[in-house]
Amino acid sequence: MSAATADPIAIAPSPAAFGPNGSPRSYAVRTLGCQMNVHDSERMSGSLEAAGYVAAENAEDADVIVINTCAVRENAANKLYGNLGRLAGVKREREGMQIAVGGCLAQKDQGEIIEKAPWVDVVFGTHNMGSLPTLLERARHNAEAQVEILEALEVFPSTLPTKRDSASSGWVSISVGCNNTCTFCIVPSLRGKEKDRRPGDILAEVQALVDDGAVEVTLLGQNVNTYGVEFGDRQAFGKLLRAMGEIEGLERVRFTSPHPAAFTDDVIAAMAETPNVMPSLHMPLQSGSDTVLKAMRRSYRSKRFLGILDRVREQIPDAAITTDIIVGFPGETEEDFEDTLRVVEQSRFSSAFTFQYSIRPGTPAAEMDGQLPKEIVQRRYDRLIELQERISLEENHAQIGREVEVLVSVGEGKKDAATLRLSGRAEDNRLVHFTVPDSAESPRPGDVVTVRVTGAAPHFLIADDAAAYTVRRTRAGDAWDRRQAESCGVPASPASTAPRAVGLGMPTVRTSADG
C-alpha cells in the first residue's frame, strides 16, 4: 500500500465560504484536459461544497472560479491564460471574486502563473487538491495570492469529498502517477510515481457509488493495467475486474487507459469472462512505426500491439477498440508515417484520438533533433484523419440492423433538440442517437433503452426503428429523479415510477464528435 492514506478526509467549514451577509458564496469549476482531470474536478467541487460553498446556477456569476488545467498539449497554456485574461475584467467589476488555478499546468508552472496573471488568488497542484478551501480562506484573509505546490501526494484524491456530475456513472481512481518515461509526456513529472490504492478501498468506493444509484463505473489510472505494481501483484488488475463482477447492481464497468506493454492475457480473460465488463477497450498506439515507438520509449512494437488486438477480438468478438495516435514526432519519416497508416488499417479502430506532436518543455522529445515543419505534420495528420474517418464509418455501418442497449445520458447529443432524438452510450461505448416513438415512454437519464440501429456516421449511430424500442427503468434513473427533485427543493419519492420527460443541459464529458 502506498503512503497515501485511505481514510476519508474531512473538510472543515470555511469562513471564506460565506459572504458579508452570511449567505454562501458560489463556485464554478472549469475543466481542461483528460478524464483524470474531470474526476479531479469532481473532488474539487466536493471539497468546496463540504467547506460551505454552493454551485453557481450560472457559472459566469460565480464568486469563485476554479480552473483545473492540463499540461499535455501545446495549447494548454494558451487556453489557461486566455481564460484568465477574460476573467480579469470580470473580477475588477465584482468585489470579493476569487480565481484559483489547479491541476497539471499549475504543478508545472507554479509561481509563474501569478507573475503572468497577478489577479489570480490561489495556485495549487495535483498533489494537494483538498487544500483548496483553506487556500481560498488564506488568500482572502491575507489579501494576497497563495501558491502551494506539493512535490508528493498529500492524500489519495478519492479520499476527498466528491460531487459527481452524473447520477448513473462514476469515475473511480485505482492509481495515480506513472512509472513510464515516454519522451513526449510530462505527466510523470507532474503526478509523480505510481501510487496504488488497496483493492478493498476501491471496491468500497464502487459499492458506495452503486448504493447511491450508479450503474456504471470507469476505473482510472495513468496506466490502469499496471495496477498492483506497488504491492507486487502483476495480476492485480485482472483480479480487480473480476471482483467488479461480484458487485450486485453494477451493470457496466470500463477502464482507461491501459499501456500495451503491460497488457496481459489474464486481463483479456477477465474482460471476456466478467459479464459487466463492457466490450470496449481504449488501447493507445501512439505510432505504428517501430523506429518512432523506440524514440518515444514506448516499450512495445507494432507486432505486439496488433497481437493484443487479435487476442481481444478472439475472446470478445464485438469489442470496439479506440486509440491515441501522435503524428509528426521528431524524426518521423514518410516511411514511418506509412507504417502508422498500415497499422491503423489493420487495427480497424472504431475511433481514434489523433494529435499533432507539439513540443512540451521539460520532456526529452522537446530537445530531440528532427523537429518537423508544421506543414508536413499537417498533411500527414489530414491523411490519417481521412483514413480513420473511413474506417470508423465502415465499422459503424456494420452495426446497422443490430439491437443495442443504450444507457441514456444527458447532453451528449448537441442536435437532439432539433432532431427530437435522445442520446446515450451502447455497451461498446458507441454514441447512439435514438428516437422515442410517439406515445412511448420517455426514458430518464440513467435508464436503459433497447433500440435497433438504422443509420451510421463516423462518430455515432442512429436508431429510429420504433418497433424495436423498449425502456428499462433503473435505479440510476430513480437517482436522477431524486437529484432533480432535490435541486427544486421538492422531496422525491424513492419508488416513483411515473414517466418523466428528459431535461437537457447537465454537464457531461465529450469523447467524440456528435451529429
Side-chain angles (χ1 to χ4, degrees), residues 260 281-287 298 300 305 309 320-326 344 347 349-355 384 388:
L281 175 65
H282 186 73
M283 183 62 65
L285 171 63
Q286 307 302 2
S287 174
R298 300 285 288 180
Y300 57 88
F305 183 91
L309 304 196
I321 301 175
T322 59
T323 197
D324 297 329
I325 303 171
I326 297 172
V344 169
S347 297
F349 299 117
S350 60
S351 65
F353 299 91
T354 53
F355 310 97
L384 175 62
Q388 183 56 54

Side-chain angles (χ1 to χ4, degrees), residues 32 65-71 76-85 87-88 91 98-126 128 145-149 190 360:
L32 310 175
I65 300 286
V66 183
I67 304 178
N68 185 13
T69 62
C70 171
N78 294 336
K79 284 187 176 180
L80 170 62
Y81 291 109
N83 270 277
L84 292 179
L87 289 173
K91 186 177 181 181
Q98 290 183 295
I99 301 170
V101 178
C104 290
L105 198 63
Q107 186 79 24
K108 173 179 172 290
D109 288 355
Q110 304 188 12
E112 184 180 326
I113 292 174
I114 298 296
E115 292 178 14
K116 292 182 176 180
W119 55 91
V120 170
D121 299 277
V122 170
V123 177
F124 62 105
T126 58
N128 61 324
Q146 301 296 307
V147 179
E148 184 175 284
I149 306 292
L190 301 180
R360 302 310 297 136

